[in-house]
Amino acid sequence: MTAPKVFGIAGWKNSGKTGLAVRLVTEFTRRGYRISTIKHAHHDFDIDKVGADSYRHRQAGAHEVTIVSGTRYAIMHELRGAPEPAFEEILARLAPCDLVLIEGYKREPIPKIEARRLEAANRTPLAPDDPHIAAIAADHPVTDTALPVFDLDDTTAIADFIAEIVGLEPRLGNH
C-alpha cells in the first residue's frame, strides 16, 4: 500500500490553523478529492460526554470503544499509560484517501504551511527552524522570508499550492 499524501498546517495557538484546515477541507472536497484530517491535541481531550454509554465503557476499563450509527463511527483508543502513538502509526490507521491534512504535529518532517496571525499567543516564526515549512499563510505582511507567502484567507491559492507540492492529480472539471 502506498503511503497517503500528507500536508501539514503548523502554527502557534490562535494562529489560524483550524480555520485554514476547515477552509482547505471544504475547497479540496469541492474539487472532488477525498480528504482526511489528523488533529494533534496537547491536552487531555474527550470526544464523548460524561455519562454517555461509551464514556461508561471507557471508565470501566475498555481498551477501545467503538460507537457506530447510520451516519458515522468513531473508535476511541485508551492509552492507559502507554506512550502516545507515533504519527506514522496514526496515519496507517486511516482509510485510503487523496490527501491527509495534518493540524498540529509541528515537529513532524512533513511538508507544511505555517499559519500566522497577529492575535497568536506566540508570534515566534517557526519557518527559520523548520526546513519542512514550504510556505507561510498570514493575516499581516511577512517580509523576512524567501518562502512563498499567502494571505491566510486566500484558500484557493493555498489549495493550489498544496496540490502542486504533494502532486495531487487534477480531478475532472477542475482547473
Side-chain angles (χ1 to χ4, degrees):
M1 187 182 115
T2 59
K5 294 179 185 334
V6 298
F7 196 90
I9 300 166
W12 298 105
K13 183 177 174 67
N14 296 325
S15 63
K17 296 183 303 293
T18 301
L20 179 56
V22 168
R23 292 191 303 275
L24 286 169
V25 169
T26 302
E27 177 63 18
F28 281 120
T29 300
R30 186 190 64 73
R31 294 181 186 193
Y33 295 105
R34 188 174 185 166
I35 305 299
S36 292
T37 64
I38 297 176
K39 157 83 175 157
H40 189 261
H42 288 283
H43 42 76
D44 184 23
F45 73 96
D46 217 327
I47 63 169
D48 67 356
K49 298 181 185 78
V50 173
D53 294 349
S54 56
Y55 179 89
R56 293 173 62 197
H57 294 193
R58 286 193 304 128
Q59 290 302 107
H63 182 61
E64 283 192 332
V65 175
T66 306
I67 310 170
V68 183
S69 77
T71 51
R72 73 186 55 87
Y73 73 89
I75 300 173
M76 284 174 286
H77 181 103
E78 286 296 311
L79 293 174
R80 305 267 180 230
E84 180 179 313
F87 174 71
E88 292 74 22
E89 193 181 328
I90 298 300
L91 204 52
R93 285 177 160 250
L94 295 182
C97 62
D98 297 309
L99 174 67
V100 182
L101 285 174
I102 314 295
E103 183 186 339
Y105 282 105
K106 64 170 147 319
R107 308 272 176 249
E108 286 300 321
I110 58 171
K112 54 188 95 112
I113 190 164
E114 179 183 347
R116 295 184 185 175
R117 283 177 64 221
L118 291 172
E119 296 83 48
N122 183 335
R123 301 221 341 246
T124 308
L126 298 172
D129 299 317
D130 186 344
H132 301 285
I133 291 177
I136 295 165
D139 71 351
H140 57 279
V142 176
T143 54
D144 59 347
T145 183
L147 294 172
V149 177
F150 296 93
D151 182 297
L152 190 57
D153 293 323
D154 193 352
T155 310
T156 304
I158 295 169
D160 289 344
F161 177 79
I162 292 171
E164 186 179 327
I165 293 284
V166 302
L168 269 184
E169 297 299 320
R171 288 285 193 255
L172 292 174
N174 289 328
H175 51 93

